[in-house]
């Protein structure tokens, strides 16, 4: 059983998609060991509570120094003994120490098709605002391994989503979640939990192909 630590900051719809996929058998060989939020008000914590999953908040506001918060976050994660850390709408800039300690064991969902609309400043609704500003016809979501860079790690899965002429950042965000994020994040976890994802030369290889 792959032990998952899921890091969240907000509504937790991606967390919910993972909870549901485990319950429905679309993710096998994995269990959620803990949900960790930096934001005490995150509805994701309530979702974890309702599902009977251990959950904890580690807020930067509780620490005088960023380094103290980083150490507490790392300690909390270590105590969950995770095999895989899933960033599911996690808005925290991860400490380098954490990334190094769990190299190849952290995945992130990004709401665009990397390498488009990613990197510094591209998070949350901003991504969709930029997509609409540029007028691209397709966007989507990407699940990738996290490394020291911003959105630069090996890509695991991607799914394209149509941009509509009358989209607002909010309607586009919702469609990207429904059609892409909530599908490919559970799917990527299932692939990893079943030993089907390898990293070679900075790219991933999915044994047996996708899905
Ligand atoms: C998602 O769009 C995710 O890609 C982005 O933040 C959002 C999180 O939503 N990084 P939720 O908390 O899973 O509902």
């Amino acid at each position: 059983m792959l032990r998952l630590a899921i890091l969240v900051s907000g509504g937790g719809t991606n967390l919910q998609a993972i909870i549901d996929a485990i319950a429905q058998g679309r993710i096998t060989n994995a269990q959620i060991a803990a949900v960790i939020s930096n934001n005490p008000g995150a509805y994701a914590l309530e979702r974890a509570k309702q599902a009977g999953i251990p959950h904890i908040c580690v807020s930067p506001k509780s620490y005088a120094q960023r380094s103290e918060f980083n150490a507490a976050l790392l300690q909390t994660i270590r105590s969950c003994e995770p095999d895989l850390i899933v960033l599911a709408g996690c808005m925290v800039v991860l400490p380098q120490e954490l990334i190094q300690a769990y190299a190849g064991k952290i995945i992130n969902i990004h709401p665009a098709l990397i390498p488009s609309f990613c990197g510094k400043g591209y998070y949350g609704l901003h991504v969709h605002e930029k997509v609409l500003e540029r007028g691209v016809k397709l966007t989507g979501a990407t699940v990738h391994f996290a490394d020291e860079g911003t959105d630069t790690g090996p890509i695991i899965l991607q799914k394209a989503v149509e941009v509509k002429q009358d989209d607002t950042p909010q309607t586009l965000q919702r469609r990207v979640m429904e059609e892409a994020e909530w599908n490919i994040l559970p799917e990527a976890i299932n692939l990893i939990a079943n030993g089907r994802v390898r990293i070679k030369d900075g790219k991933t290889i999915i044994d047996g192909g996708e899905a």
Side-chain angles (χ1 to χ4, degrees):
M1 274 283 182
L2 197 80
R3 289 174 59 80
L4 310 173
I6 306 199
L7 271 56
V8 296
S9 300
T13 60
N14 280 288
L15 167 67
Q16 192 66 54
I18 298 165
I19 293 171
D20 294 347
I22 291 175
Q24 293 161 7
R26 286 179 286 115
I27 296 176
T28 56
N29 294 323
Q31 67 184 91
I32 304 176
V35 170
I36 302 167
S37 174
N38 62 308
N39 169 14
Y43 188 67
L45 288 170
E46 179 61 30
R47 292 179 191 272
K49 187 177 163 195
Q50 282 175 16
I53 297 165
H55 50 283
I56 185 167
C57 175
V58 184
S59 168
K61 292 187 181 137
S62 307
Y63 302 91
Q65 306 283 337
R66 191 74 188 181
S67 57
E68 290 171 29
F69 164 71
N70 286 347
L73 181 63
L74 185 56
Q75 172 54 33
T76 303
I77 291 173
R78 277 195 207 281
S79 69
C80 304
E81 301 184 343
D83 303 303
L84 184 70
I85 298 171
V86 180
L87 308 177
C90 172
M91 298 301 201
V92 173
V93 177
L94 291 191
Q96 291 299 314
E97 208 187 340
L98 175 64
I99 294 171
Q100 282 155 13
Y102 289 93
K105 293 181 177 175
I106 308 176
I107 64 170
N108 180 46
I109 178 89
H110 181 73
L113 294 173
I114 291 174
S116 289
F117 305 103
C118 66
K120 283 211 164 60
Y122 286 86
Y123 61 89
L125 215 50
H126 298 305
V127 176
H128 306 291
E129 286 166 1
K130 298 281 183 195
V131 162
L132 292 176
E133 251 173 59
R134 183 62 185 85
V136 295
K137 305 296 184 190
L138 278 178
T139 183
T142 303
V143 182
H144 64 94
F145 285 105
D147 64 8
E148 273 90 352
T150 306
D151 304 324
T152 51
I155 290 169
I156 305 166
L157 291 176
Q158 293 188 297
K159 186 150 193 270
V161 172
E162 189 188 346
V163 180
K164 298 198 173 160
Q165 300 219 37
D166 57 355
D167 264 330
T168 63
Q170 288 79 6
T171 61
L172 184 57
Q173 180 181 52
R174 181 75 192 181
R175 190 174 322 106
V176 168
M177 285 176 150
E178 279 176 2
E179 294 184 10
E181 295 182 40
W182 299 342
N183 296 314
I184 63 174
L185 186 56
E187 198 179 327
I189 293 168
N190 186 53
L191 289 169
I192 293 168
N194 288 283
R196 290 177 52 195
V197 180
R198 287 182 287 135
I199 300 176
K200 194 176 173 228
D201 301 330
K203 299 175 197 167
T204 63
I205 296 174
I206 299 181
D207 292 324
E210 289 174 25

